[in-house]
Amino acid sequence: MDFKIIHDQIEANIVVMGEFEDHKQVSELIELLSLQDMQNFNITFLGANVIPKIVVEKLFSFQEREKCSIFVLKRYLYSYLQNIGIKCKYIEKNFTLKRLTENSSHIKKILNKEEVYSFLNELNITYGYDYTEYQIDSIMRRINITMIKEGIVSFSLFREQVLNNEIFFNNLFLDFSINTTEFFRDPKVFALIKTKILPYLNSYNHIKIWCAGCSNGKEVYSLAIMLKEAGILSKTQIYATDINPYVIEEAKNGMYSSITLDKDISNYRNAGGEKNFIEYFDINNSYIKVKEELKKNILFFQHSLLSNGTLNEFNLILCRNVFIYFNESLQEKMLKNYYNSLDNNGFLVLGKSEGILRNNGGKYFCKYDGILKVYKKK
């Protein structure tokens, strides 16, 4: 969908169509919003899954003064705004498809693995995303979730819609993407990185770190905080990647709900944090915002672990709680990619339920800390 802003001055309505693609479009909306300061207005987002930080902050200031009502078409944007405390209304699209399914002669049935594998192959051919080596049970659960959200009871009908309608595929893609994370998740892992790995990396003139499957950025910013406290953030470049382009934009915004702040502070302390956790954030009524100084050495971008291959030569790679969604064959491919992406003394950190025993990872890595799932390149 092409980006467009429609402004109805008589009714005080603003409609934003499409995703934001450049700074000019952001500036255009900010300028228009600035003109609304003396009146109440409605704003509707019909295409965006994530909106830039400056727009979020502007909308929040209007809502604090009860100046605007926000309407959202995309589920992802609706969840994002609600999570950081911005009230908005979700637009239910009345798909003719839903009425068709209610009167359909198709019988609801349990998904069959063979037809799901066939569907995944068609997705790869049509859209270029390969899910054929993901854990099939996880994939089937997420297909069921998307079907429920769309109100479709027939898999054959759902399959047809996804393969022929990019909007349906986009919703399925978002449900396939796993974005569960928190600041300093598994504090003992961060404590080990702080006390053992960072002092070793400090011997390098320049440090390169890759956070693969970075989700909404909480792990990346946790790492940046530790690097800053170790005095080596300035000589470190962090690459933060995820297959989901919308969660990457969310990570760039660096805005998170303050509801989990007590847990965040506890994790930070248990990881060996030396200062006051909230010093690294600007605190608002309902959300916290990462300070810009932490972002300077982070490069966020979309990247597929399956199709985009290796990156650079890194000193440290974190890929935590991603392998659990892959079968063992795909895990081995990823381990080989990470092996080729690390320098000769590089470290790999996996999730607490992951390892290198069942995926031939022993060919590429040896244990550094088997309990915390930290490995070193052979």
Side-chain angles (χ1 to χ4, degrees), residues 96-107 151 153-154 157:
T96 304
L97 175 62
K98 291 187 178 181
R99 291 195 293 272
L100 285 173
T101 56
E102 290 170 1
N103 301 314
S104 175
S105 59
H106 293 285
I107 300 174
V153 297
S154 162
L157 184 57

Short mmCIF file of all heavy atoms in Angstrom, two decimals, residues 96-107 151 153-154 157:
data_model
loop_
_atom_site.label_atom_id
_atom_site.label_comp_id
_atom_site.label_asym_id
_atom_site.label_seq_id
_atom_site.Cartn_x
_atom_site.Cartn_y
_atom_site.Cartn_z
N THR A 96 -15.90 -10.55 3.90
CA THR A 96 -16.93 -11.42 3.33
C THR A 96 -16.56 -12.86 3.59
O THR A 96 -17.41 -13.73 3.74
CB THR A 96 -17.05 -11.17 1.81
OG1 THR A 96 -17.29 -9.79 1.59
CG2 THR A 96 -18.17 -12.00 1.20
N LEU A 97 -15.26 -13.12 3.69
CA LEU A 97 -14.77 -14.46 3.92
C LEU A 97 -15.37 -15.08 5.18
O LEU A 97 -15.72 -16.25 5.20
CB LEU A 97 -13.25 -14.42 4.05
CG LEU A 97 -12.54 -15.73 4.41
CD1 LEU A 97 -12.77 -16.75 3.33
CD2 LEU A 97 -11.08 -15.49 4.63
N LYS A 98 -15.54 -14.27 6.23
CA LYS A 98 -16.07 -14.81 7.47
C LYS A 98 -17.51 -15.30 7.29
O LYS A 98 -17.90 -16.30 7.84
CB LYS A 98 -15.98 -13.75 8.57
CG LYS A 98 -14.54 -13.45 8.98
CD LYS A 98 -14.50 -12.53 10.18
CE LYS A 98 -13.05 -12.28 10.60
NZ LYS A 98 -12.95 -11.42 11.76
N ARG A 99 -18.26 -14.55 6.49
CA ARG A 99 -19.64 -14.98 6.24
C ARG A 99 -19.64 -16.25 5.39
O ARG A 99 -20.49 -17.11 5.53
CB ARG A 99 -20.40 -13.85 5.54
CG ARG A 99 -20.66 -12.65 6.44
CD ARG A 99 -21.70 -11.72 5.86
NE ARG A 99 -21.23 -11.07 4.65
CZ ARG A 99 -20.56 -9.93 4.65
NH1 ARG A 99 -20.25 -9.34 5.79
NH2 ARG A 99 -20.16 -9.38 3.52
N LEU A 100 -18.66 -16.34 4.50
CA LEU A 100 -18.56 -17.54 3.67
C LEU A 100 -18.27 -18.77 4.53
O LEU A 100 -18.84 -19.83 4.31
CB LEU A 100 -17.44 -17.38 2.63
CG LEU A 100 -17.74 -16.46 1.44
CD1 LEU A 100 -16.47 -16.29 0.61
CD2 LEU A 100 -18.86 -17.02 0.59
N THR A 101 -17.39 -18.62 5.50
CA THR A 101 -17.01 -19.76 6.32
C THR A 101 -18.16 -20.22 7.20
O THR A 101 -18.29 -21.40 7.51
CB THR A 101 -15.80 -19.43 7.21
OG1 THR A 101 -16.10 -18.28 7.99
CG2 THR A 101 -14.57 -19.16 6.39
N GLU A 102 -19.02 -19.27 7.61
CA GLU A 102 -20.15 -19.64 8.46
C GLU A 102 -21.12 -20.54 7.71
O GLU A 102 -21.77 -21.40 8.28
CB GLU A 102 -20.85 -18.38 8.96
CG GLU A 102 -20.03 -17.60 9.98
CD GLU A 102 -20.64 -16.25 10.28
OE1 GLU A 102 -21.71 -15.95 9.69
OE2 GLU A 102 -20.05 -15.50 11.09
N ASN A 103 -21.21 -20.32 6.38
CA ASN A 103 -22.14 -21.10 5.57
C ASN A 103 -21.43 -22.16 4.73
O ASN A 103 -22.00 -22.76 3.84
CB ASN A 103 -22.92 -20.17 4.63
CG ASN A 103 -23.69 -19.13 5.41
OD1 ASN A 103 -24.34 -19.45 6.39
ND2 ASN A 103 -23.62 -17.87 4.99
N SER A 104 -20.14 -22.35 5.03
CA SER A 104 -19.34 -23.24 4.19
C SER A 104 -19.72 -24.70 4.43
O SER A 104 -20.09 -25.11 5.52
CB SER A 104 -17.85 -23.04 4.49
OG SER A 104 -17.09 -23.97 3.78
N SER A 105 -19.58 -25.49 3.37
CA SER A 105 -19.83 -26.92 3.50
C SER A 105 -18.60 -27.66 3.99
O SER A 105 -18.64 -28.85 4.24
CB SER A 105 -20.26 -27.48 2.13
OG SER A 105 -19.22 -27.25 1.17
N HIS A 106 -17.44 -26.91 4.13
CA HIS A 106 -16.22 -27.54 4.64
C HIS A 106 -16.42 -27.95 6.09
O HIS A 106 -17.09 -27.27 6.86
CB HIS A 106 -15.04 -26.56 4.56
CG HIS A 106 -14.64 -26.24 3.15
ND1 HIS A 106 -13.96 -27.12 2.37
CD2 HIS A 106 -14.84 -25.13 2.42
CE1 HIS A 106 -13.75 -26.57 1.18
NE2 HIS A 106 -14.27 -25.36 1.19
N ILE A 107 -15.83 -29.06 6.46
CA ILE A 107 -15.94 -29.56 7.82
C ILE A 107 -14.64 -29.25 8.56
O ILE A 107 -13.56 -29.53 8.08
CB ILE A 107 -16.20 -31.08 7.83
CG1 ILE A 107 -17.50 -31.39 7.10
CG2 ILE A 107 -16.25 -31.62 9.26
CD1 ILE A 107 -17.76 -32.87 6.93
N GLY A 151 -11.32 -16.13 11.95
CA GLY A 151 -12.66 -16.68 11.92
C GLY A 151 -12.86 -17.70 10.83
O GLY A 151 -13.96 -17.86 10.29
N VAL A 153 -12.72 -21.70 9.66
CA VAL A 153 -12.74 -23.04 10.23
C VAL A 153 -12.18 -24.09 9.27
O VAL A 153 -11.86 -25.20 9.68
CB VAL A 153 -14.17 -23.45 10.65
CG1 VAL A 153 -14.68 -22.54 11.75
CG2 VAL A 153 -15.12 -23.45 9.46
N SER A 154 -12.05 -23.74 8.01
CA SER A 154 -11.57 -24.69 7.01
C SER A 154 -10.13 -24.39 6.64
O SER A 154 -9.80 -23.29 6.19
CB SER A 154 -12.46 -24.61 5.76
OG SER A 154 -11.80 -25.19 4.65
N LEU A 157 -9.70 -23.51 2.90
CA LEU A 157 -10.09 -22.13 2.61
C LEU A 157 -9.04 -21.15 3.12
O LEU A 157 -8.67 -20.18 2.44
CB LEU A 157 -11.45 -21.83 3.23
CG LEU A 157 -12.06 -20.46 2.94
CD1 LEU A 157 -12.20 -20.23 1.44
CD2 LEU A 157 -13.42 -20.32 3.61
#
